[in-house]
Amino acid sequence: MSRTIVTLVGKDHVGIIAAVCNYFAENDINILDIKQTTVQDYINMILIVDTSNYKGGFDTLNAGLEKVGEKVGCIIKATHEDVFEMMHRI
């Protein structure tokens, strides 16, 4: 399994989660876990996804998520799980 951490931040509105989930479904990416919080009008979401069956490379994944983010008005970034863990290590 190849786990990737995806973060999303932006102004909340209808359709954000649908757009992200559709992108994952179209690219054979399985969502393993989701945590979402909304503070006033802003959404902050973190997803752990399995990219084992994804046919593209990591740059392609980030470019695709960036396009989805532009469409829904959010910033969406993917980070390898290992890199994410190193960044948040105490």
Side-chain angles (χ1 to χ4, degrees), residues 2-7 20 23-30 47-69 76-81:
S2 180
R3 291 167 37 133
T4 301
I5 311 301
V6 177
T7 56
V20 173
Y23 176 80
F24 289 150
E26 291 166 0
N27 288 283
D28 208 11
I29 297 170
N30 187 35
L47 303 98
I48 301 173
V49 298
D50 178 5
T51 54
S52 297
N53 295 325
Y54 178 61
K55 303 295 185 247
F58 196 75
D59 291 339
T60 307
L61 174 62
N62 261 318
L65 289 171
E66 186 175 324
K67 286 181 185 177
V68 173
I76 308 174
K77 301 281 183 186
T79 307
H80 288 288
E81 182 181 37

Side-chain angles (χ1 to χ4, degrees), residues 16-89:
I16 293 173
I17 296 171
V20 173
C21 290
N22 283 336
Y23 176 80
F24 289 150
E26 291 166 0
N27 288 283
D28 208 11
I29 297 170
N30 187 35
I31 299 170
L32 302 172
D33 201 358
I34 297 176
K35 178 70 175 183
Q36 171 191 322
T37 55
T38 352
V39 177
Q40 293 184 10
D41 294 337
Y42 294 91
I43 184 172
N44 184 3
M45 187 165 52
I46 185 166
L47 303 98
I48 301 173
V49 298
D50 178 5
T51 54
S52 297
N53 295 325
Y54 178 61
K55 303 295 185 247
F58 196 75
D59 291 339
T60 307
L61 174 62
N62 261 318
L65 289 171
E66 186 175 324
K67 286 181 185 177
V68 173
E70 288 171 2
K71 185 172 112 180
V72 297
C74 294
I75 298 169
I76 308 174
K77 301 281 183 186
T79 307
H80 288 288
E81 182 181 37
D82 295 342
V83 173
F84 190 85
E85 285 183 10
M86 287 298 198
M87 288 177 5
H88 293 89
R89 194 178 222 180

